[in-house]
């Protein structure tokens, strides 16, 4: 009956109730759509890193005086079962020349068969000297061009596609097959890139490294790409939260409008409240009646807003990300639920003061109110 | 049994004090029909509100069935009003969004009575006041007299022992006023409901067992 009464009271001021509901719809839609967009944005960014998520980089432990990794250590690491792919890398800074131009670049040496696991080529083949796109641009190199590295001449066999990695910057790199590299530079490794079977085996892999390689002395340090990805994730979650908070302002406005209409209706219905108190309604009953009315407004507005926010999220995704493949994921549903929760809470919190005020009315004063 | 002992009610308007009731003592026996008569502003409504526990006296005591109402909490007072007292006001005060039937049900809703029981009792009561055929009408689809009869049915919903009427015929023409008064009288005679009626209309005297005069907040001729 209380719900019935609440519904009829809302129906009595249809325009007002409708406006309040629209306010909540907009607020919830704003919050949830932005949430969905933020989540999609994060997913799109992380998509770029999904190949490196299971990568681990092993470097010499400089703190303990190690500046390179020896072949025996590489062998040991290759023997760890969780290591799916082990790419030992040598590197050295060297002068690179081509015709009149010269520059310093980091030259890497690695197994020719494994380079294709790390880089995509724009042109040419993996067999031989590879150069990054920026280097190629600088020297105006093409496949077959000649360059001089630390005094020796090489023929460019491939140009690396533009990209991003944390360990090796592919755009500025010059990569030589190990055999060629060894002819110019020292013979120890500067890092090992390891692809672990799966992300949840990374911990086990790290433990194995510590047991096998770092048993007596801490020779190498292990760095997981996962950590960077976690950081990026966290940053994007914060950005999403921030954007949602801004969108939340619209819900605040909706809340104020509910506060306003509820106050109006307590005043308009003062006599009714007095009558109900006179014939046996507790203060809590009056309180509940008003909160029920707000709850109904909040519930309708939030559910409709929540449903529309899927559409909103989809539209923003299409507009900004040009793809909507992340618009309807389980986490989108989470953001819809967050929006709905906030919508309902806003309605309830806004109605608290008017409802409290109505419940505090003295029956006789309310009845005599003109 | 209603007892008032030296009841004073003062209102404060800014710095001024209005004495609405100035030491009223009276008692009403169970099943009695008492009319309280006096000119406008004499304190009739104030008196009725104090009896009905809608308001508290500045000093003095109001006892309902021997219970000192000044000692009761707001919750207990609410329950007392709900279970023992029925109000009929000059302005009816029906809830405009509810039908006649639902208005009659409302006190039973507050008491937590089940839907079926509520329904059948409300229908009985509407029949009693002669509005059986109009139970689904909203207040604005009823005449003043009909609205007042709905209000009487509502007042009786929780089978109160006391019916308090404040100018129940004040807004009605003579004919519908008579219908309303006869219903009230019948309840008093047949059901033994105690009735306290306040009015300035001398023609209602005939319904009462006893008439009490009030003037400037004092009882003048309690007989
Ligand atoms: N809430 C209030 N604040 C201030 N004064 C009040 C209040 N209620 C009543 N009074 C004053 O108390 C006195 C008695 O009022 P009351 O309403 O009891 O008179 P009444 O006999 O019912 O009059 P009427 O026949 O016009 O209804 C009046 O002088 C009135 O102005
Ligand atoms: Mg009066």
């Amino acid at each position: 009956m209380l719900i019935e009464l609440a519904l009829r009271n809302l129906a009595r001021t249809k325009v007002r109730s409708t406006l309040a509901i629209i306010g909540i719809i907009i607020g919830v839609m704003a919050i949830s759509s932005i949430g969905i967009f933020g989540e999609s944005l994060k997913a799109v960014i992380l998509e770029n890193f999904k190949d490196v998520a299971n990568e681990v980089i092993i470097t010499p432990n400089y703190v303990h005086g190690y500046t390179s990794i020896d072949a025996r250590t590489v062998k040991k690491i290759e023997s760890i079962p969780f290591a799916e792919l082990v790419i030992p890398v040598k590197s050295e800074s060297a002068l690179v020349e081509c015709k009149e131009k010269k520059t310093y670049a980091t030259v890497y040496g690695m197994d020719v068969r494994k380079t294709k696991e790390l880089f995509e080529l724009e042109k040419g083949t993996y067999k031989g000297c590879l150069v990054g796109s920026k280097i190629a641009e600088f020297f105006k190199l093409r496949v077959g061009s000649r360059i001089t590295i630390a005094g020796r001449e090489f023929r460019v066999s491939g140009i690396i596609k533009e990209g991003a990695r944390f360990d090796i910057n592919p755009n500025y790199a010059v990569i030589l097959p190990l055999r060629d590299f060894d002819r110019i530079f020292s013979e120890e490794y500067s890092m090992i890139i390891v692809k672990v079977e799966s992300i949840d085996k990374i911990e086990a892999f790290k433990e194995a490294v510590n047991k096998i390689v770092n048993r007596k002395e801490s020779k190498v340090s292990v760095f997981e790409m996962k950590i960077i990805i976690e950081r990026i994730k966290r940053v994007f979650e914060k950005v999403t939260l921030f954007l949602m908070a801004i969108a939340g302002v619209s819900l605040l406005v909706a809340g104020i409008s509910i506060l306003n209409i509820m106050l109006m209706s307590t005043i308009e219905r003062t006599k009714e409240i007095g009558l109900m108190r006179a014939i046996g309604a507790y203060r809590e009953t009056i309180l509940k009646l008003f909160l029920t009315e707000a709850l109904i407004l909040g519930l309708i507005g939030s559910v409709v807003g929540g449903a529309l926010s899927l559409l909103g999220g989809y539209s923003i995704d299409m507009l900004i990300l040009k793809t909507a493949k992340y618009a309807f994921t389980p986490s989108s549903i989470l953001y819809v639920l967050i929006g709905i929760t906030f919508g309902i809470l806003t309605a309830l919190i806004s109605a608290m003061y008017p409802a409290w005020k109505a419940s505090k009315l003295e029956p006789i004063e309310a009845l005599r109110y003109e | 049994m209603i007892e008032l002992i030296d009841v004073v009610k003062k209102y404060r308007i800014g710095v001024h004090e209005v004495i609405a009731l100035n030491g009223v003592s009276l008692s009403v026996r169970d099943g009695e029909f008492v009319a309280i008569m006096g000119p406008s502003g004499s304190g009739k409504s104030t008196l009725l509100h104090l009896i009905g526990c809608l308001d508290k006296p500045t000093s003095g005591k109001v006892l309902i069935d021997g219970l000192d109402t000044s000692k009761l909490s707001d919750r207990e007072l609410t329950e007392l009003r709900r279970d023992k007292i029925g109000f009929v006001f000059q302005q009816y005060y029906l809830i405009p969004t509810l039908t006649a039937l639902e208005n009659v049900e409302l006190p039973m809703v507050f008491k937590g009575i089940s839907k079926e029981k509520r329904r059948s009792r409300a229908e009985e009561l509407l029949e009693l006041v002669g509005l059986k055929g109009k139970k689904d009408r909203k207040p604005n689809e009823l005449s003043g007299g009909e609205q007042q009869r709905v209000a009487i049915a509502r007042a009786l919903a929780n089978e109160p022992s006391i019916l308090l009427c404040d100018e129940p015929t004040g807004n009605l023409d003579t004919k519908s006023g008579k219908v309303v008064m006869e219903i009230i009288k019948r309840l008093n005679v047949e059901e033994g409901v105690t009735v306290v009626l306040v009015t300035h209309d001398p023609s209602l005297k005939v319904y009462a067992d006893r008439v009490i005069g009030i003037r400037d907040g004092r009882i003048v001729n309690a007989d």
Side-chain angles (χ1 to χ4, degrees), chain B residues 44-46 90 166-167 198:
Chain B
K44 305 183 295 289
S45 296
T46 305
Q90 184 175 350
D166 192 348
E167 309 268 16
V198 309

Side-chain angles (χ1 to χ4, degrees), chain A residues 93-167:
Chain A
S93 194
L95 187 67
V96 180
E97 297 164 87
C98 176
K99 289 168 199 152
E100 251 67 280
K101 283 182 153 181
K102 53 181 77 169
T103 183
Y104 275 95
T106 310
V107 180
Y108 297 91
M110 62 181 85
D111 191 333
V112 173
R113 285 163 299 172
K114 288 174 180 171
T115 38
K116 64 171 179 295
E117 303 288 342
L118 299 183
F119 309 108
E120 275 184 71
L121 290 191
E122 200 176 298
K123 287 191 198 98
T125 61
Y126 288 98
K127 287 197 173 70
C129 169
L130 308 179
V131 294
S133 57
K134 294 288 178 202
I135 297 276
E137 202 178 295
F138 178 73
F139 289 122
K140 302 203 169 53
L141 297 176
R142 278 182 288 155
V143 175
S145 302
R146 286 166 196 285
I147 53 169
T148 311
I149 300 167
R152 279 172 192 264
E153 204 176 74
F154 291 92
R155 200 182 276 274
V156 174
S157 74
I159 292 168
I160 302 166
K161 205 171 181 178
E162 213 174 313
R165 288 189 62 85
F166 297 108
D167 37 24

Side-chain angles (χ1 to χ4, degrees), chain A residues 105-309:
Chain A
T106 310
V107 180
Y108 297 91
M110 62 181 85
D111 191 333
V112 173
R113 285 163 299 172
K114 288 174 180 171
T115 38
K116 64 171 179 295
E117 303 288 342
L118 299 183
F119 309 108
E120 275 184 71
L121 290 191
E122 200 176 298
K123 287 191 198 98
T125 61
Y126 288 98
K127 287 197 173 70
C129 169
L130 308 179
V131 294
S133 57
K134 294 288 178 202
I135 297 276
E137 202 178 295
F138 178 73
F139 289 122
K140 302 203 169 53
L141 297 176
R142 278 182 288 155
V143 175
S145 302
R146 286 166 196 285
I147 53 169
T148 311
I149 300 167
R152 279 172 192 264
E153 204 176 74
F154 291 92
R155 200 182 276 274
V156 174
S157 74
I159 292 168
I160 302 166
K161 205 171 181 178
E162 213 174 313
R165 288 189 62 85
F166 297 108
D167 37 24
I168 299 171
N169 185 341
N171 307 328
Y172 290 96
V174 174
I175 293 162
L176 292 175
L178 269 179
R179 180 171 32 85
D180 294 328
F181 188 93
D182 286 343
R183 279 199 303 211
I184 322 174
F185 305 110
S186 74
E187 60 288 353
E188 295 215 312
Y189 295 94
S190 58
M191 70 173 152
I192 307 172
I193 300 170
V194 181
K195 275 190 195 275
V196 180
E197 241 166 59
S198 66
I199 291 179
D200 40 288
K201 291 279 158 58
I202 289 177
E203 270 317 303
F205 175 79
K206 263 178 84 171
E207 266 171 42
V209 170
N210 285 330
K211 226 160 72 195
I212 297 168
V213 181
N214 288 343
R215 191 165 36 130
K216 271 188 258 156
E217 252 183 306
S218 189
K219 286 187 188 169
V220 298
S221 16
V222 180
F223 181 80
E224 310 145 63
M225 284 309 187
K226 214 176 68 183
I227 290 179
I228 294 184
I229 293 166
E230 290 300 324
R231 292 243 168 93
I232 293 175
K233 240 188 213 167
R234 233 166 295 146
V235 167
F236 273 96
E237 268 151 23
K238 276 187 192 140
V239 169
T240 303
L241 216 59
F242 174 71
L243 290 176
M244 281 170 77
I246 292 176
V249 173
S250 60
L251 204 52
L252 191 74
V253 173
I256 292 170
S257 99
I258 288 190
L259 178 79
N260 186 32
I261 67 159
M262 284 284 167
L263 275 178
M264 272 165 78
S265 94
T266 55
I267 292 167
E268 288 164 359
R269 279 152 58 191
T270 300
K271 269 186 203 249
E272 259 172 60
I273 295 163
L275 182 273
M276 290 201 271
R277 295 280 286 121
I279 64 172
Y282 297 123
R283 288 192 193 284
E284 300 99 270
T285 310
I286 304 296
L287 193 81
K288 270 191 226 156
L289 178 64
F290 277 85
L291 289 181
T292 306
E293 287 176 28
L295 187 68
I296 293 170
L297 292 178
L299 216 65
I300 298 175
S302 299
V303 169
V304 173
L308 288 178
S309 69

Side-chain angles (χ1 to χ4, degrees), chain B residues 189-204:
Chain B
V189 173
E190 289 173 12
E191 315 279 332
V193 177
T194 311
V195 177
V196 179
L197 167 84
V198 309
T199 181
H200 61 259
D201 179 358
S203 71
L204 302 185

Side-chain angles (χ1 to χ4, degrees), chain A residues 368, chain B residues 11 13 18 20 39-46 167 200:
Chain A
R368 294 176 64 110
Chain B
Y11 291 108
I13 306 168
V18 180
S40 183
S42 55
K44 305 183 295 289
S45 296
T46 305
E167 309 268 16
H200 61 259

